Each structure stands twice: as structure tokens, then as C-alpha cells.
């Protein structure tokens, strides 16, 4: 199992899609726009004042926890399933809300207990609660805000809700701090400022190679399968060149 982690707007969903396609592996998405329960909760959270967010923050994180557990029960049975959000990322978000006073101690302890129970027993069998590989998307806070604005989600709009800038920056720092101390599994760090894997084909290949070579080193991807991946990439590039020449 592969966790893609990073701050809001870092490119988690995009990399999940790209990596899953390259590996021909299952992908699991947060899918905020199509998940009505999560979407409604996020809208309430973003529009709430600080005092109200103390209630909304707890309910939101438990909603994420429930949705993530449903995904995890399937992903844990599959090879190299790629997840754009996870119980690990949920913990980072819940912790920063708790540290900022937006989840109180009692609610945070309940959240931690629920999370631990879910990780302790998935699909009726023990699981160590760790991915095979964590991929951390490190992104500059200003670049992050630009990427969030590009998404055009009304509930994330910093022009109508300028206080969200401080929230985004706080989340970014929470991931930076998390990455410094992460030891639960192997990790690959991708500098999002350097590698625009969405728009730059060369950057996409370099990012995929970093991740897949790490999977080989971990014994989670065979050399034969990796060679097959490289062959598929070559065929795809050749097909694009032929089509462009024909047109």
C-alpha cells in the first residue's frame, strides 16, 4: 500500500492518478466534490467561526476517519494500492486542529481511540497500520495557495475567506513537522516546487522513477514489472508522436 501525503493543494490526487495508472494498481481518492457527506462537512467547517469549528472540526475528522476506514478495508487486500488520503494524513490534520484549539482534549482522545481501533483490526485480521511506502509532497506555502486557487472551489476561496490563508499555512507547517519525524515506513519526498508532474512530462517521469525504484528496493515491485512499466511508457510516447505526425 502506498500513501500519498501532503498539504492542501500539494497534488495528492493528481499523483495518485498518475502513479496508479503507471503501476496498473488500484487507486483510492478522497473525492471531495463527489462525496456529498464529506463535501457538506467541509463547507460547514470552512464557513464556521473559530468557536463553531471546535464542534465542526471533530465531526469532520470522524467523518474522514469513517470514509478512510471503508477504503482501507479494500486497499489492504490489494497490491500497491495508492491512496491520496489515509489514516496517517487524517491524524496530521486532526492533530493540528487540536493544537490550534479547534478540537478539544476530550474529543481528540475519542478520535485517537477510534483511529487506533480501526488500524488494529482491518478486514478481521491484524494489520501493522503502516503503508509499504509513504510519498510526501513538499510544497512552498505560496505555491500551495496558488494551486488551491486554481481548483476554483468556492469553499476554499481566500478572497471571500481571507482567514483561510493562515489555516493553509498552518496545515503546510504541520506536514513539514510530520515529515521530519516520520519513521513508520519508508518515505520518498517529492519537491513539488521542483517537479511539476502534472504539466511537465519529464518531471512526471522523474517522479515516477523515484517512487518505483524505491518500491523495487523494498521488494514491492519486481524488476520484470518495472521493465514492463518502462515499455508501456515508451509505447505511449511513440503513439503520441505518430498521432502528432499524422495530424
Amino acid at each position: 500500500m502506498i500513501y500519498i501525503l501532503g498539504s492542501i493543494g500539494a497534488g495528492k490526487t493528481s499523483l495518485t492518478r498518475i502513479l496508479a495508472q503507471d503501476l496498473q494498481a488500484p487507486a483510492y481518492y478522497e473525492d471531495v466534490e463527489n462525496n456529498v457527506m464529506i463535501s457538506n462537512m467541509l463547507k460547514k467547517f470552512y464557513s464556521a467561526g473559530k468557536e463553531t469549528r471546535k464542534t465542526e472540526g471533530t465531526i469532520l475528522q470522524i467523518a474522514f476517519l469513517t470514509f478512510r476506514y471503508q477504503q482501507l478495508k479494500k486497499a489492504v487486500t490489494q497490491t500497491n494500492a495508492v491512496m491520496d488520503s489515509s489514516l496517517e494524513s487524517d491524524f496530521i490534520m486532526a492533530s493540528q486542529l487540536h493544537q490550534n484549539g479547534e478540537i478539544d482534549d476530550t474529543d481528540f482522545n475519542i478520535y485517537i481511540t477510534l483511529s487506533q481501533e480501526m488500524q488494529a483490526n482491518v478486514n478481521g485480521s491484524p494489520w501493522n497500520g503502516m503503508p509499504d511506502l509513504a510519498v510526501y509532497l513538499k510544497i512552498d506555502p505560496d505555491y500551495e495557495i496558488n494551486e488551491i486557487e486554481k481548483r476554483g472551489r468556492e469553499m476554499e476561496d481566500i478572497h471571500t475567506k481571507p482567514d483561510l490563508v493562515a489555516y493553509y499555512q498552518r496545515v503546510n507547517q504541520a506536514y513539514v513537522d510530520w515529515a521530519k519525524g516520520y519513521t513508520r515506513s519508508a518515505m520518498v519526498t517529492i519537491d513539488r516546487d521542483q517537479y511539476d508532474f502534472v504539466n511537465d512530462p519529464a518531471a512526471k517521469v522523474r517522479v515516477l522513477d523515484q517512487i518505483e525504484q524505491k518500491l523495487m528496493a523494498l521488494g514491492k515491485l519486481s524488476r520484470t514489472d518495472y521493465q514492463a512499466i518502462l515499455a508501456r511508457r515508451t509505447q505511449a510516447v511513440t503513439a503520441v508522436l505518430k498521432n502528432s505526425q499524422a495530424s
Side-chain angles (χ1 to χ4, degrees), residues 183-242:
T183 58
R184 286 161 56 82
S185 72
M187 183 170 72
V188 170
T189 298
I190 304 298
D191 188 339
R192 189 68 174 81
D193 307 332
Q194 181 179 357
Y195 294 111
D196 182 3
F197 49 75
V198 176
N199 300 303
D200 182 350
K204 180 175 77 171
V205 168
R206 286 195 290 271
V207 167
L208 289 171
D209 282 344
Q210 286 183 58
I211 297 170
E212 289 164 356
Q213 287 171 13
K214 188 65 173 181
L215 288 172
M216 279 201 301
L218 294 170
K220 299 299 178 180
L221 181 66
S222 71
R223 184 165 295 278
T224 299
D225 287 342
Y226 182 56
Q227 293 300 324
I229 288 170
L230 296 180
R232 287 196 299 270
R233 284 193 213 158
T234 301
Q235 290 172 357
V237 171
T238 301
V240 169
L241 289 174
K242 284 184 178 180

Side-chain angles (χ1 to χ4, degrees), residues 35-186:
N35 187 317
V36 177
M37 178 183 72
I38 297 297
S39 178
N40 288 341
M41 287 302 308
L42 275 171
K43 288 175 183 177
K44 288 178 67 177
F45 176 78
Y46 279 130
S47 62
K50 184 170 182 179
E51 287 303 311
T52 308
R53 281 203 296 267
K54 290 181 180 179
T55 300
E56 301 299 340
T58 299
I59 297 174
L60 174 65
Q61 290 308 130
I62 290 176
F64 272 126
L65 194 64
T66 303
F67 177 62
R68 214 78 69 215
Y69 182 60
Q70 292 169 345
Q71 292 183 322
L72 184 59
K73 287 192 292 183
K74 296 179 181 178
V76 76
T77 67
Q78 299 168 320
T79 300
N80 287 336
V82 188
M83 304 187 75
D84 77 345
S85 292
S86 60
L87 295 180
E88 187 76 27
S89 58
D90 285 348
F91 175 75
I92 297 168
M93 295 296 287
S95 296
Q96 65 85 21
L97 288 173
H98 175 240
Q99 290 168 5
N100 198 54
E102 293 177 335
I103 294 180
D104 65 28
D105 291 346
T106 300
D107 289 350
F108 187 64
N109 288 337
I110 292 172
Y111 170 85
I112 293 297
T113 300
L114 284 172
S115 182
Q116 289 174 341
E117 285 296 316
M118 289 178 176
Q119 292 183 72
N121 200 313
V122 176
N123 272 352
S125 60
W127 176 57
N128 64 9
M130 297 183 289
D132 298 306
L133 178 65
V135 179
Y136 168 48
L137 300 178
K138 182 180 179 182
I139 185 169
D140 176 80
D142 291 334
Y143 184 21
E144 173 189 350
I145 290 174
N146 288 337
E147 291 297 291
I148 292 171
E149 288 188 290
K150 285 180 185 178
R151 301 201 294 207
R153 294 177 183 169
E154 184 179 351
M155 63 182 170
E156 296 176 337
D157 188 4
I158 63 172
H159 301 289
T160 58
K161 306 179 188 71
D163 60 322
L164 285 178
V165 173
Y167 171 69
Y168 295 147
Q169 291 173 340
R170 199 171 74 234
V171 172
N172 187 295
Q173 188 59 50
Y175 272 95
V176 171
D177 295 340
W178 163 83
K180 289 178 181 177
Y182 183 74
T183 58
R184 286 161 56 82
S185 72

